[in-house]
Structure formats: C-alpha cells, structure tokens
Amino acid sequence: MRKVLSRHHHRQPPPPHHHRQPPPPPVKDEATCAHPGAADVESPHQCPVHHREYAREHPRECRRRASLAYLTIAGGVIAFVCGALSPTHFAAVCVGIVTIVFGLYSQLVSDTTVERWINVIGLGLAFLGLGLGLRHGGFHI
C-alpha cells in the first residue's frame, strides 16, 4: 500500500547554508610543491614559470624555453620602439631580424600555451619594428 502524503506532511527542509561544512582545502604535496593530483608524476621537477609538470625533464630546459620566449617579446618591443623612431631605423632592422629568428626557434620548441602567446606577440612586434625600420631607411646609416 502506498502512503499518500497530505499537505501538512512535508519533507524536512535542507539545513541553512551557514550550517554546512566548508569543503576541505586542496592538498598540496610539500615535497614537490606540485598541484593536487600530481602525485603520480615520477619526477619532482616542475616548471617554475608556467606551473606545468614535466615528468622526465630537467628544470633547466623549462627555464631555457621560458627565457627564449621572454627574449622574443623583449626584442620585439625594442624593435618596435626603435622602428617607430626615425633616427634608430638601423637598430630596428637589426634587432627585428635577430628577434624574428630567435622567436621562430622559440615557437618551434615551445611547450606551453603561455610560451606560444608570448612568442606570437613578440614576433608580431618584431615584424612591425622591422617594417617600420625599413620604411624609415632600412640598412642605410
């Protein structure tokens, strides 16, 4: 037999929000300073710039790729600023060419999305700086 609920017979209301227990904080592995769930990674090495674990890679490789990306954006900014100024067109062309070569190599070996974004922005600035430098006189001193 089914019991029919009357209108006075309701379920218990849920407890108020202030009585609920807060969720436990994420567990952090102190030995490796890795993210939760990264305990499966065999190596304690972690990329310090992008917080990405590389299981079989030395941290020096991660820093090398990150420094190539930062070199690309720094060279792109320098090439763009020098290209915007007319008297420094020769420096803009030289820095632009070198930055484009380094930036293309950095894009080739990049492993994270952050490095790729930095490389693309640096390459774009270097290309614009090279174009402005060529417009203002190029290699003519």
Side-chain angles (χ1 to χ4, degrees), residues 22-30 33-39:
V27 179
K28 197 170 190 184
D29 187 6
E30 296 297 328
C33 285
H35 297 298

Side-chain angles (χ1 to χ4, degrees), residues 59-85:
R60 192 177 311 148
E61 291 297 316
C62 177
R63 283 190 222 113
R64 181 181 63 88
R65 282 195 308 268
S67 63
L68 280 173
Y70 294 137
L71 178 70
T72 301
I73 197 156
V77 168
I78 292 170
F80 181 73
V81 169
C82 288
L85 304 173

